[in-house]
């Protein structure tokens, strides 16, 4: 089982969830942002550096306009102290490769000591024989292993700068050593973005995951930021697309509705303390405030964040990042317990 939520419930966290949900639904009805609770979950960025150059990733392409850097332990400790009373789910990733931050194990350990569930998303290329035991000693509760090919052609088509051989070796090492050490963590999720160049491999991916022994396989649709990349990468089968592509343009399938639970549910914090609107705000263009002497609560309930929520409730389609957002839409094609 991936996560038993009851393990992470405390009275304060339960009350916060009630406040969170009730204020969100009341906001939808009244078309006015009401925020009674704090975030249920958090996304904190260990770094926005990356060891790959994936063509739809601003970190890998080096096109982020915000500074590159590493999260400092002293700042992280302050944030965890503010999170622990009401939040119980932490994604230790946003942009970049988390394991490039040498203090990642300490970050994981500190959160888990406060009974916070920790999830990591990694390309896995930094996992090796020398550090595997250390990684498993402070393993996240869930590790998302992102591999989008089963051979060098399909893998390197998108995961530019890496090799499938290295990714495969790291994944098999992780599964093997976890069993040898009789570790319960991490729950290993194999994530596969379906593209034109790999859509013929889906049955083979299922067999591969069973052979390796991961806990879950997730096929995901691909996000693109330009018509050119839509033409180049989106799979031929429309079933595996999140977009309608026609007349030289592309748009999300389904209707974008004027609400977004993410703005009540999850706080996203960059490595240098910027609280941004959501996980689709990769370049921090919609910064809600900086945690430089300010508390997370102060930013979360600030007028700036209130005004952004109001704009979403009024007309979400007018906000550029919202037009390429999957919140409220089903983006996972298939999930398989192994």
């Amino acid at each position: 089982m991936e996560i038993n939520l009851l393990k992470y419930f405390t009275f304060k966290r339960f009350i916060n969830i009630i406040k969170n949900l009730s204020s969100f639904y009341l906001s939808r009805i009244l078309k006015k942002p009401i925020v009674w609770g704090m975030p249920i979950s958090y996304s904190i960025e260990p770094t926005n550096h990356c060891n790959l150059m994936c063509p739809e990733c601003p970190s890998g392409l080096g096109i982020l306009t915000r500074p590159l850097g590493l999260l400092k332990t002293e700042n992280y400790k302050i944030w965890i102290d503010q999170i622990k009373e009401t939040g119980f789910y932490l994604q230790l990733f946003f942009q970049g490769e988390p394991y490039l931050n040498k203090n990642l194990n300490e970050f994981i350990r500190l959160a888990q000591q406060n009974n916070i569930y920790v999830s990591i998303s990694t390309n896995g290329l930094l996992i090796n024989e020398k550090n595997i035991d250390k990684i498993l000693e402070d393993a996240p509760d869930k590790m998302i292993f992102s591999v989008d090919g089963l051979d060098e052609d399909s893998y390197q088509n998108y995961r530019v700068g890496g090799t499938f051989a290295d990714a495969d070796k790291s994944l098999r090492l992780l599964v093997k050593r976890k069993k040898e050490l009789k570790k319960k963590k991490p729950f290993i999720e194999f994530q596969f973005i379906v593209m034109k160049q790999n859509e013929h491999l889906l049955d083979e991916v299922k067999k591969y995951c069973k052979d390796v022994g991961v806990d879950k396989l997730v096929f995901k649709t691909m996000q693109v930021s330009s018509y050119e990349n839509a033409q180049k990468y989106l799979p031929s089968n429309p079933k595996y697309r999140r977009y309608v592509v026609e007349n030289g343009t592309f748009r999300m399938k389904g209707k974008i509705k004027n609400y977004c639970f993410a703005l009540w549910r999850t706080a996203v914090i960059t490595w240098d303390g910027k609280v941004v609107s959501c996980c689709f705000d990769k370049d921090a263009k919609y910064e809600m405030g900086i945690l430089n002497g300010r508390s997370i609560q102060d930013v979360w309930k600030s007028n700036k964040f209130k005004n952004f929520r109001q704009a979403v409730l009024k007309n979400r389609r007018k906000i550029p990042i919202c037009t390429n957002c999957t919140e409220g839409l089903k983006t996972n094609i298939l999930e398989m317990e192994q």
Side-chain angles (χ1 to χ4, degrees), residues 14 47 92 107 211 214 221 231 237 300-301 309 317:
F14 179 74
T47 182
L92 267 175
F107 297 162
D211 175 58
V214 301
T221 54
Q231 292 289 93
N237 190 335
W300 187 248
K301 297 189 177 182
R309 293 185 181 101
R317 288 174 291 278

Side-chain angles (χ1 to χ4, degrees), residues 249-263:
T249 63
F250 66 101
R251 58 179 171 80
M252 296 288 295
K253 289 179 179 178
K255 184 180 179 181
I256 298 176
K257 299 178 181 178
N258 292 330
Y259 58 83
C260 177
F261 185 39
L263 300 180

Side-chain angles (χ1 to χ4, degrees), residues 219-231:
F219 290 131
K220 292 197 72 174
T221 54
M222 185 179 187
Q223 180 183 13
V224 294
S225 57
S226 68
Y227 177 73
E228 291 72 24
N229 276 356
Q231 292 289 93

Side-chain angles (χ1 to χ4, degrees), residues 258-271:
N258 292 330
Y259 58 83
C260 177
F261 185 39
L263 300 180
W264 276 257
R265 180 192 68 231
T266 305
V268 181
I269 306 173
T270 65
W271 70 269

Side-chain angles (χ1 to χ4, degrees), residues 61 129 254 295-296 313:
L61 285 179
E129 292 279 1
S295 69
I296 295 173
L313 290 169

